[in-house]
Amino acid sequence: QRKNPFSSQARLASRAPHAPRGDAAYGRPPEGSRTEQRGKDAHSHVGREVEELCLVIRRTGEVGEDGHVRVTFGQLFETYVTISNKVVGILLRARKHGLVRFEGEMLWQGQDDDVVITLL
């Protein structure tokens, strides 16, 4: 942008310098920025959706002999789709955090309706 004749020097000077690779701030928005706040808000929103999904699994599933609640993907999909259309994405996030377990990388409606989801 420094070579761009339409860029003002004042605007370029007001930009915060990028953090070098390996730095703890590398790839993160500047502290206190609106971008950082939007990221925090999105993170907490997804966290609430994961909690809500776990509650739905607990309500609709059945307790197994080991004490874990289990539900099939088809049953969960039918119940949860009225709450949110992001069932699979929220399930993947919950698995990433160790809250649920299921076989396979991705779950597809119709094809994976019999896959058992276990609430950990």
Side-chain angles (χ1 to χ4, degrees):
Q1 286 293 334
R2 296 191 192 287
K3 294 180 183 179
N4 186 343
F6 301 105
S7 292
S8 68
Q9 290 297 330
R11 190 176 62 127
L12 292 175
S14 69
R15 285 182 136 176
H18 293 287
R21 273 186 196 259
D23 190 305
Y26 180 74
R28 299 197 175 270
E31 197 153 330
S33 68
R34 290 184 4 204
T35 302
E36 180 190 38
Q37 187 57 48
R38 282 192 298 267
K40 288 179 179 178
D41 293 346
H43 183 75
S44 67
H45 177 75
V46 170
R48 285 192 302 273
E49 285 205 30
V50 168
E51 287 178 23
E52 187 172 6
L53 176 72
C54 291
L55 289 173
V56 170
I57 292 172
R58 183 169 287 138
R59 261 188 265 127
T60 60
E62 296 177 9
V63 180
E65 293 175 7
D66 59 356
H68 291 294
V69 178
R70 291 180 175 78
V71 66
T72 62
F73 176 65
Q75 183 182 1
L76 178 64
F77 189 89
E78 291 301 319
T79 305
Y80 195 77
V81 78
T82 59
I83 299 167
S84 173
N85 62 351
K86 301 178 282 287
V87 179
V88 176
I90 299 300
L91 265 174
L92 293 173
R93 179 62 63 105
R95 179 170 67 178
K96 179 180 177 182
H97 290 287
L99 300 172
V100 298
R101 178 178 51 224
F102 56 89
E103 294 295 320
E105 289 295 314
M106 180 68 85
L107 296 174
W108 303 97
Q109 183 186 8
Q111 175 180 325
D112 295 319
D113 283 352
D114 295 330
V115 172
V116 176
I117 299 167
T118 305
L119 183 62
L120 304 174

